[in-house]
Amino acid sequence: MKDERLLIEQIVRALSAGTGARSRRLRLGIGDDAAVIRPTPEMDWAVSCDQFLEDVHFLANVHAPGSVGYKALARATSDLAAVGAAPRYFLLSLALPDERTSAWLRLFLSGMARAARQLGMILAGGDTSRFPKVAINLTVIGEVESHRAITRSGARSGDLIFVSGTLGGARLGLELVRAAHPARDARWQRFLKPHLYPQPRIGLGRWLAQRQLASAMIDISDGLSTDLGHICEASGVGARVWSSKIPVVRIPRALRREDLDSLALALHGGDDYELLFTVPAKQAHVLGTAFKGLRLTRIGEITKEKRLVLCEASGRERQLKPLGWDPFRTSAGARSRR
Ligand SMILES: [Mg+2]
């Protein structure tokens, strides 16, 4: 094990901030007890933290270290997109076993640095420790115009429910990884990408917040069924979703299996980091069917009655149960899903 100072120096080298205006507003960065950041009066800060743990969220012997670093920051940042904030700074708490402090760490940091560049994130500080497994804890800070953050609790009866992108792709990617389809096989790369390198929908979240179009919003980390339940619970409403409208992942012929159902992947798979949001009906015309090439799909409506209903293509209605990810319902380890 290298000493902590060397480890921190390596982290600083890989993730150090530039010297732009936003770097200057980071008055005190990594190396002191706490970061000091000077916000502006017109802005609110959005702050969130997220854990990414070996054998719970990823398998260190299966998932490439670069993808672990990338995804750790991307999924944490998705929570900022979910309130309409622009990503600004992050703090990295990293615990590692000895054998992950050399090549693994280098690749992990380069993956995280790539995500930081793409997401506009600057490292502000963190902590390191030695531990038998890899444990990554990220605190992320974003900015949103005062009073414009979109919460989970603003959905009202009659609002329309929209989702970005395609759902179920991340879970399909996980199935591919589990089935040990060779990651180097170019045919499967695009199916692995949503699982290994998710893209938080920052631009869409910002647009919805700045234009005040969405009444409620969440990112789909646990699965549509579970995350829609979170919006409904926070808002004191229910929802009706049309199964035929859900933008489900297309399972390629070569991968079709009886137990792999694209609707189930989309409803309960999670890890997609798309945005699920509600829009008052009279504002819906502003949305269209895409935002900068990202598909937007109307999948249902908010109802007064506090239950989740799935309308099937046959016309039959059934209760939509929240069967997405719940760390305390699913045992970790062997059933690790991410
Ligand atoms: Mg979230």
Side-chain angles (χ1 to χ4, degrees), residues 2 5-18 30 101 105-106 109-110 113 117 123:
K2 58 184 79 178
R5 187 180 52 84
L6 288 175
L7 184 63
I8 292 170
E9 280 175 10
Q10 187 181 352
I11 292 171
V12 171
R13 267 200 310 279
L15 298 168
S16 65
I30 186 166
T101 57
L105 176 64
R106 192 166 32 79
L109 289 173
S110 80
R117 277 194 304 276
L123 180 73

Side-chain angles (χ1 to χ4, degrees), residues 152 155 161-162 218-220 222-235 237-242 246 267 276-278 299-302 307-310 320 322:
R152 296 178 180 185
I161 304 169
F162 285 82
I218 193 169
D219 64 321
I220 299 189
D222 300 336
L224 174 62
S225 61
T226 296
D227 290 318
L228 180 58
H230 291 323
I231 282 187
C232 288
E233 196 180 351
S235 300
V237 294
R240 179 179 284 112
V241 171
W242 305 294
I246 297 171
L267 283 174
L276 174 68
F277 55 97
T278 59
I299 60 165
E301 63 195 11
I302 295 294
R307 60 193 201 110
L308 299 190
V309 173
L310 185 71
L320 177 58

Side-chain angles (χ1 to χ4, degrees), residues 178-197:
R178 273 185 177 157
H181 278 281
R184 283 174 295 280
D185 187 329
R187 277 183 308 161
W188 307 123
Q189 283 306 318
R190 69 192 176 97
F191 298 103
L192 290 171
K193 202 174 168 228
H195 171 56
L196 299 177
Y197 301 97

